[in-house]
Amino acid sequence: MSFISIQNTFMDYIRDPASPLPDGMDLERMDVYRDLFFNNISGFVSSAFPVLKSLYSSLQWQALVQTFFKQHDCQSPFFSDIAEEFLVFLQHEYVMLEQDPPFMLELAHYEWLELVVSIALDNPLHGFIEKTEVASKPLCLSSSAQVAQYAYDVQHISVDHQPKEPAKVPQLFCVYRDKAYDVNFLALSPLTAQVLGYLSQFESLTLAEINTWLLQTFTAMEPSHLQQGCLDLLVELSGKGIICEYKV
């Protein structure tokens, strides 16, 4: 048997103990290897999705992670990458069971987004901006801010709050890291979400450029009210670290 075949047989057993034991390998030793691999993966996934995990019994959660461990081919050993691989597995490979909550995919995405924001690298061209400078400086969305939309109010989900139906209106959020490097979420109005979504498409924009887009998009609104509201909004978001100065 070739070395590659031996490796494949070894990994098949690590993924699924129902597979044939590799030739010449001791069962007890192989089970030790398997426990080490599985426990590492389980620890990574459980740390990244604590709320989702809390909604399952220990046996149910172990079975879910075991299915991921067995079926999904992870391409990276890093913690953050494994969390993303688990999300991809849930979205594209996993067949939901009766025990799975209807908001499973959205909650998993929300928890993964929190992780993404927490470890996002600072962009050296992004700097915190004083409120008095918002009207005069190039503006950008912080590299550690993410805008998302969900059908369920994922920020409130817990063991004691598990909605059966989507919320009546879309749930719009910005998940961001503040100046103290704490991860927070901010519920957004549809207009605020559109402003942040528009800003995210560009390296930077000035307040004047944002106002031009607003006036062209929301023609039914009073221009002076729209422009003042936009300035007030950007000042508020800059104080939270969501909006930054783009250093040219």
Side-chain angles (χ1 to χ4, degrees):
M1 182 180 291
S2 69
F3 179 69
I4 292 178
S5 297
I6 294 173
Q7 281 187 316
N8 289 338
T9 304
F10 181 88
M11 287 311 302
D12 287 343
Y13 185 84
I14 293 296
R15 288 176 178 274
D16 182 6
S19 300
L21 191 69
D23 291 341
M25 293 297 296
D26 177 72
L27 175 61
E28 185 176 354
R29 177 173 295 182
M30 284 299 299
D31 285 344
V32 169
Y33 287 142
R34 186 177 187 281
D35 287 345
L36 286 172
F37 277 96
F38 178 76
N39 289 339
N40 279 338
I41 295 294
S42 180
F44 288 156
V45 173
S46 296
S47 295
F49 302 93
V51 178
L52 184 62
K53 178 186 177 182
S54 72
L55 307 182
Y56 292 86
S57 69
S58 296
L59 289 178
Q60 288 172 337
W61 182 253
Q62 185 178 34
L64 175 58
V65 178
Q66 174 61 60
T67 303
F68 166 65
F69 185 66
K70 177 182 176 181
Q71 295 182 3
H72 187 76
D73 185 17
C74 288
Q75 301 299 311
S76 168
F78 295 110
F79 165 67
S80 58
D81 294 336
I82 289 175
E84 183 175 6
E85 297 271 12
F86 183 71
L87 176 63
V88 170
F89 162 74
L90 293 180
Q91 292 174 329
H92 301 291
E93 301 167 34
Y94 179 65
V95 178
M96 292 182 65
L97 305 176
E98 185 176 351
Q99 68 196 25
D100 297 318
F103 50 77
M104 180 188 200
L105 296 182
E106 290 197 345
L107 176 59
H109 185 273
Y110 178 69
E111 293 202 273
W112 170 75
L113 209 58
E114 289 182 311
L115 174 62
V116 169
V117 168
S118 71
I119 63 174
L121 297 176
D122 290 326
N123 188 325
L125 297 179
H126 293 186
F128 292 118
I129 184 172
E130 297 296 330
K131 296 179 180 181
T132 55
E133 298 179 319
V134 168
S136 59
K137 298 284 188 178
L139 306 174
C140 58
L141 184 67
S142 169
S143 58
S144 59
Q146 296 281 338
V147 178
Q149 175 177 322
Y150 302 104
Y152 291 87
D153 57 339
V154 289
Q155 80 281 14
H156 293 135
I157 290 175
S158 67
V159 173
D160 298 323
H161 177 69
Q162 300 187 46
K164 302 296 184 184
E165 300 292 337
K168 294 182 179 180
V169 295
Q171 304 294 293
L172 303 167
F173 297 104
C174 180
V175 183
Y176 67 98
R177 195 173 65 210
D178 63 21
K179 297 178 182 179
Y181 277 75
D182 293 324
V183 175
N184 300 275
F185 77 90
L186 178 68
L188 305 177
S189 68
L191 179 58
T192 302
Q194 288 187 65
V195 170
L196 291 180
Y198 182 69
L199 188 56
S200 70
Q201 299 175 44
F202 300 89
E203 195 171 55
S204 70
L205 290 172
T206 63
L207 176 62
E209 290 171 328
I210 297 173
N211 278 331
T212 297
W213 168 74
L214 283 171
L215 293 173
Q216 293 172 346
T217 304
F218 301 95
T219 55
M221 298 183 67
E222 171 62 38
S224 61
H225 292 166
L226 191 61
Q227 291 174 315
Q228 184 60 51
C230 179
L231 176 59
D232 293 342
L233 170 65
L234 294 175
V235 166
E236 177 188 355
L237 297 178
S238 68
K240 297 180 182 296
I242 297 173
I243 296 296
C244 295
E245 173 191 357
Y246 185 80
K247 301 176 183 178
V248 270

